[in-house]
Every structure is written in C-alpha cells, then in structure tokens.
C-alpha cells in the first residue's frame, strides 16, 4: 500500500496523549488506538479506507505532529486527511483566553495546569457523534463502547495503520448502517428502538442535499439544538452531546449527562443531587468553556486511573 508522511503544527500548548484520550474515553476503544505514543485510526474518505498514524515530534512553543498515511492514492487524500486530523485534534484551537481565565481562578487553574496541552476534540463526523450518543443512551460508557466495537467489526472498513500490531477497522461506515436493519443491529447489542434511531440518522447523514448535517452546523446554538431535537431519537442530552462532540461547540456542557454531572460535582466538592439547571449555574463563571471543562473532566478521571503518564516531556 502506498505511503506518505507529512507534518502539522498545532497551536501551542499541545499534548497528543491528553488530546487523544479525550477521543478514546476508554482503553477498550478499538477505533481510536493509542499505543507507544502513536494515535492510529482508519478514516473513510470517499468510499475507501485511509490508515493514519500520528505521533508528536516536538512540544514547547513550536509543537509538531507527524502524520503517516497509507492509502491507495495518498497524495490525492493528503489535504482531506490534514483537514480531518486538524479538526479532530483541535490543532488550530487557540485556548489562550481559557488559560488566562484559569490563571485568575484557583479551581480551574489546577485542572488546566494538569491537562495543559489538551485540545478540545471532535469526532470525525457528526454521524459518529450521533452513533456514540445513541449507543450510550441509558447505559454506562463502558457498555456503550462494547456495542460500538461490535458495530465497528460488523460495519467498519478494514485498514492497516503504520506500526499497528492488531487488525483495525474504521468507525462504522454511514452507508453500511443506512443499509442495515434493526434486527441486525439488535444482534450487535442495540435495542430495536436504538437500531431504528441509528439507521434513521445514518440515512439523514447520507442525504446528498445535507450531507452529515451540514445545514445544522451552520446554525447558532439555540437554533441548532432545536433542529437536532426534532430528529427521531434525539432528546436534549443527545442534542447537546452532538453540539459538543460533533460540531465542536466548546461552550456547551451536556447537562443531562449523568457521568459528566457527577464528575463536575465531585471536582467542585459539592454535595447533593446534580441537576441540569444546577450544572449550568455552576459553569457560568467559566463561560464560554463549559464543554471544554466537560472534556477535561473525562481526561482528568482517566489520568487518576493511571491510563497515561502525568508528564509526556512536552
């Protein structure tokens, strides 16, 4: 398979390991792998798999990542790979205002210092954000991840990333899910109702007139949430999750996310039952970075569990 290597310059500060763990969320994620300081993933560009391996080659004030691509025509897909990797890893996100805010607030400063260099990530497509939301509705993140892994094995495209020691597949291809049926998805662990939701979302995402919900991405926050909430199977939690994880709206904390709310209350040392309104009242002082804090709390918990080194030398 032809190969190509090029570099990209993230806005400083940047740490690949922290950023990728915001994508991975759990060690048993088989789509976004992170081994020996290398992020590996199979993208789908057009109708073909493109294997990507990314490593950080420089930190400090001039960080750099190296992107290794394996594809049938790597030069042809280089620009799109660059755009996807940049978007997913938030390479162009300027968080200097957030770090200034953190310097004047002892509570957020501790979190920001510990996770300095973590960028706000987005999933590769809006459909991927929807799929992960549907799989995670009313179940634990770990349980939802197992379902997504089975879906990946059934509907993902195979590829071989540089240095990978195990076979890899892309996130489930939208077209494959759109052609599926609820019984087939039920065999993979989704309820029949969730299967119907996911198939419907895949068919919307493949609409040539509005591919991957592009018209909604152009809307303001309130209008976008309202549009998303009209889609079958999409409630407030799913809509807000997609706003953050699919559209990159880092001002939005999915307030109905039980795990996210619990992490927030634990981090703040607050007693009582977390509520949606209570979450937003607590986060007002850190506007417009509520969604970034949501992502940081996920990675902070992973750091507490020892999933990666506290310092990567960058």
């Amino acid at each position: 398979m032809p190969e190509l290597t090029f570099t990209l310059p993230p806005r400083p500060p940047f740490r690949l390991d922290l950023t990728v763990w915001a994508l991975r969320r759990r060690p048993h994620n088989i789509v976004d792998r992170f081994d020996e300081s290398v992020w590996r993933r199979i993208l789908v560009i057009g109708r073909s798999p493109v294997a990507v391996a990314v490593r950080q080659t420089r930190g400090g004030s001039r960080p750099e990542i190296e992107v290794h691509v394996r594809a049938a025509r790597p030069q042809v897909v280089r620009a799109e790979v660059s755009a996807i990797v940049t978007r997913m890893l938030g390479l162009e996100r300027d968080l200097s205002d957030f770090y200034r805010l953190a310097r004047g607030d002892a509570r957020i400063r501790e979190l920001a210092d510990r996770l300095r260099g973590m960028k706000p990530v987005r999933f590769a497509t809006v459909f991927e954000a929807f799929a992960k939301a549907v799989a995670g509705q009313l179940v634990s993140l770990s349980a939802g991840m197992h379902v997504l892994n089975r879906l990946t094995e059934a509907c993902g495209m195979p590829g071989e990333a540089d240095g990978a020691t195990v076979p890899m597949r892309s996130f489930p291809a939208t077209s494959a899910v759109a052609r599926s049926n609820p019984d087939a998805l039920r065999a993979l662990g989704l309820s029949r109702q969730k299967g119907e939701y996911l198939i419907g979302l895949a068919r919307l995402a493949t609409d040539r007139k509005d591919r991957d919900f592009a018209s909604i991405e152009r809307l303001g926050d309130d209008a976008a949430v309202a549009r998303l909430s009209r889609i079958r199977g999409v409630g407030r939690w799913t809509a807000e999750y997609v706003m953050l994880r699919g559209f990159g709206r880092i001002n939005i904390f999915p307030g109905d996310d039980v795990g996210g709310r619990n992490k927030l209350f634990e981090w703040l040392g607050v007693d009582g039952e977390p509520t949606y309104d209570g979450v937003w009242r607590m986060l007002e002082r850190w506007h417009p970075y509520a969604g970034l804090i949501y992502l940081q709390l996920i990675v902070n918990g992973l750091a507490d569990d020892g999933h990666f080194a506290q310092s990567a030398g960058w």
Side-chain angles (χ1 to χ4, degrees), residues 257-279:
D257 189 303
V258 175
R261 290 195 317 213
N262 289 340
K263 285 183 174 68
L264 178 66
F265 274 52
E266 181 182 356
W267 173 58
L268 293 174
V270 176
D271 295 325
E273 186 69 24
T275 66
Y276 182 88
D277 291 337
V279 164

Side-chain angles (χ1 to χ4, degrees), residues 68-299:
H68 186 276
V69 179
R70 282 182 178 170
R73 302 172 68 188
Q75 286 287 0
V76 173
V77 299
R78 173 177 173 166
E80 191 160 357
V81 169
S82 177
I84 293 171
V85 169
T86 296
R87 183 175 67 249
M88 289 186 70
L89 299 183
L91 300 184
E92 295 181 348
R93 288 278 198 167
D94 184 356
L95 298 180
S96 53
D97 286 344
F98 170 74
Y99 287 118
R100 276 193 289 271
L101 175 68
R103 283 199 298 270
D105 187 308
R107 171 61 66 181
I108 195 69
R109 183 171 64 243
E110 181 181 358
L111 187 65
D113 286 348
R114 186 185 197 192
L115 302 177
R116 187 172 181 82
M118 191 203 98
K119 294 286 192 178
V121 296
R122 295 172 62 174
F123 295 133
T125 64
V126 177
F127 173 72
E128 181 174 338
F130 269 122
K132 290 179 176 178
V134 169
Q137 289 172 353
L138 303 177
V139 299
S140 71
L141 175 55
S142 291
M145 188 73 70
H146 284 298
V147 172
L148 289 167
N149 286 347
R150 290 193 288 272
L151 191 62
T152 294
E153 295 289 358
C155 299
M157 291 187 176
E160 185 178 337
D162 181 54
T165 58
V166 295
M168 294 186 64
R169 286 183 175 270
S170 71
F171 191 78
T174 311
S175 57
V177 177
R179 293 192 302 268
S180 189
N181 63 78
D183 289 335
L185 297 187
R186 187 177 181 184
L188 301 175
L190 288 171
S191 68
R192 184 175 184 83
Q193 187 175 54
K194 284 186 178 183
E196 291 173 354
Y197 294 161
L198 191 58
I199 291 167
L201 287 161
R203 290 173 179 170
L204 288 174
T206 55
D207 184 343
R208 292 183 180 180
K209 295 181 180 179
D210 190 24
R211 195 167 296 278
D212 203 37
F213 308 95
S215 66
I216 299 179
E217 184 166 10
R218 292 190 289 268
L219 299 176
D221 291 345
D222 291 343
V225 169
R227 279 276 301 277
L228 291 170
S229 299
R230 291 202 293 268
I231 299 172
R232 184 169 181 251
V234 178
R236 184 169 66 181
W237 173 77
T238 299
E240 291 183 342
Y241 183 89
V242 169
M243 290 289 286
L244 172 62
R245 291 292 208 163
F247 296 138
R249 307 287 177 93
I250 63 171
N251 58 308
I252 293 181
F253 188 114
D256 291 311
D257 189 303
V258 175
R261 290 195 317 213
N262 289 340
K263 285 183 174 68
L264 178 66
F265 274 52
E266 181 182 356
W267 173 58
L268 293 174
V270 176
D271 295 325
E273 186 69 24
T275 66
Y276 182 88
D277 291 337
V279 164
W280 281 101
R281 283 194 298 271
M282 290 178 182
L283 291 167
E284 282 177 349
R285 63 196 274 199
W286 299 305
H287 179 79
Y289 299 108
L292 176 61
I293 291 170
Y294 171 89
L295 297 174
Q296 287 188 328
L297 290 174
I298 291 174
V299 178

